[in-house]
Amino acid sequence: MGCDGGTIPRRDELVRVKKKAEQKDQVAELDAKWKHCAITQEPLRPPIMACELGKLYNKECVLELLLDRSKFECASSFCHLRGFKDLKQLNLTENPAYDKPKNEKGDGYIDTNIAPYICPVVGIEMNGKHRFSVLWKCGCVLSERANKEVKGQICHKCGTPFSAEDIVILNGTEEEVDELYKRMEARRLQAKLEKKAKKAQKHKAPEAAAGSASQESESASTSKMPRIEPTSSLNGLTNGSSSHTSKLTNGKADYKARRVNGKTEEAKKPKSISSVQDNPKASKVYKSLFTTSDLAKNQQSAHWVTFNPQYN
């Protein structure tokens, strides 16, 4: 019935053992993350966008998702995308050794480790085997090795200053994605608070202007109203008799009355010059132009008997 002829059965042939769980193909997984869009799994093509969680997208696919989410079954996984303000266009460095994919043949070797983009500082290919990050302020993509070797708070590609919170790891682990999600919520909350503060300042500015205008109008109205100024003579108080006089003034001094020795007297008006000839400031030439001058008075005039037109 078998097992003769010198055959030696193995244990797995006689005893049923548990099957090992299926493992993901790491090469295929990295290829799907780093070379394909996270929404439609289409090959990445410029312009390439990245979200605050470090996922890569095609710009056209993101636009379609934002316009109509019902077209995509995985739309619930991208609820953190509210608009293009939540995305950043990547500033990538092309790999000079990369050739565009050609028709695959069965007898040819296909190198899947060659990536279309590299790190501008170290030259590492962005194929998933090395960690890369994007600077959220400028959008430049650098490798983690470059950030460690060349330390500083300035982008090594464009020179834009940045902080540690601006570094977003691309295609990170689950723990890193959770940390990026918390950082994203904190950044959005800070943006809301700043927006509210700006609105409050805008509303306060017209209110302050209106308040100052009302104060100015009140002060102007009070200045226009007549004031009652009481006047009292000190001499009357010393003599046992008090005399109070009041005058209505419109905020101006009354030139007709003045106080002399505690008594109000009418001020004398300045004398007006009646004739030009009496003006000491006028010159003789100017005075001679008028009929009141001596030359005009001594000038001969025509008589009714001897009429001469030269005197007219």
Side-chain angles (χ1 to χ4, degrees):
M1 298 296 295
C3 291
D4 55 351
T7 59
I8 301 173
R10 294 178 301 176
R11 178 177 174 80
D12 57 353
E13 294 176 353
L14 301 175
V15 182
R16 292 182 179 179
V17 294
K18 293 182 179 179
K19 294 183 179 180
K20 295 181 179 180
E22 294 183 2
Q23 296 181 355
K24 294 181 180 178
D25 187 0
Q26 294 183 357
V27 176
E29 185 180 5
L30 294 175
D31 188 70
K33 285 183 177 180
W34 292 90
K35 296 182 180 180
H36 294 79
C37 176
I39 299 174
T40 59
Q41 298 302 320
E42 295 179 359
L44 289 174
R45 55 185 179 273
I48 299 175
M49 312 291 288
C51 66
E52 294 175 291
L53 301 182
K55 297 180 181 179
L56 304 178
Y57 311 92
N58 285 328
K59 191 172 184 179
E60 297 177 359
C61 301
V62 175
L63 182 59
E64 292 179 1
L65 175 70
L66 296 175
L67 292 176
D68 189 5
R69 294 179 181 268
S70 61
K71 293 182 180 180
F72 302 91
E73 297 179 357
C74 59
S76 59
S77 302
F78 304 100
C79 58
H80 63 282
L81 299 179
R82 303 170 300 176
F84 276 110
K85 62 181 179 181
D86 298 330
L87 296 162
K88 179 66 67 174
Q89 185 171 339
L90 301 182
N91 186 10
L92 298 166
T93 305
E94 296 183 356
N95 185 6
Y98 177 77
D99 294 332
K100 293 183 179 180
K102 301 177 181 179
N103 294 330
E104 298 180 358
K105 296 181 180 179
D107 57 348
Y109 172 71
I110 301 173
D111 189 2
T112 57
N113 294 327
I114 297 178
Y117 305 105
I118 60 174
C119 174
V121 180
V122 186
I124 298 173
E125 294 182 351
M126 198 173 72
N127 53 10
K129 293 186 177 181
H130 307 279
R131 293 165 61 84
F132 277 75
S133 60
V134 57
L135 303 180
W136 196 253
K137 279 191 175 181
C138 58
C140 295
V141 179
L142 303 172
S143 63
E144 188 177 16
R145 186 186 299 180
N147 292 329
K148 288 182 178 180
E149 292 181 358
V150 187
K151 296 181 180 180
Q153 299 296 325
I154 298 176
C155 177
H156 309 315
K157 186 176 181 180
C158 64
T160 303
F162 67 93
S163 60
E165 296 180 355
D166 297 327
I167 300 176
V168 178
I169 300 173
L170 297 176
N171 294 324
T173 61
E174 294 181 359
E175 297 177 356
E176 292 172 344
V177 171
D178 294 339
E179 183 66 24
L180 291 174
Y181 189 81
K182 294 178 182 178
R183 195 185 299 175
M184 177 186 69
E185 289 183 344
R187 190 185 294 112
R188 291 181 179 181
L189 180 61
Q190 183 67 21
K192 286 183 180 179
L193 294 176
E194 291 178 357
K195 191 174 182 180
K196 288 183 180 179
K198 289 182 180 179
K199 286 185 178 180
Q201 290 179 357
K202 288 182 180 179
H203 289 300
K204 286 181 180 179
E207 289 179 359
S212 61
S214 62
Q215 291 178 359
E216 290 178 359
S217 61
E218 289 177 1
S219 61
S221 61
T222 52
S223 63
K224 290 181 179 179
M225 292 178 63
R227 293 182 298 174
I228 299 175
E229 296 181 356
T231 58
S232 60
S233 60
L234 295 175
N235 295 333
L237 291 174
T238 55
N239 296 330
S241 62
S242 60
S243 61
H244 297 279
T245 59
S246 63
K247 295 184 222 178
L248 292 177
T249 59
N250 193 12
K252 299 180 180 179
D254 191 1
Y255 70 92
K256 294 182 179 180
R258 62 177 180 175
R259 296 177 62 85
V260 178
N261 296 327
K263 298 181 180 180
T264 57
E265 294 182 359
E266 291 187 359
K268 296 180 180 180
K269 294 183 181 180
K271 293 182 178 180
S272 60
I273 299 172
S274 60
S275 177
V276 180
Q277 306 299 326
D278 299 335
N279 190 359
K281 296 182 180 180
S283 62
K284 292 182 179 181
V285 178
Y286 180 73
K287 292 179 181 179
S288 64
L289 298 176
F290 297 89
T291 57
T292 57
S293 63
D294 296 336
L295 294 175
K297 290 179 180 180
N298 297 328
Q299 186 178 4
Q300 295 180 1
S301 60
H303 196 262
W304 65 276
V305 177
T306 59
F307 179 77
N308 192 347
Q310 65 179 356
Y311 296 108
N312 293 338

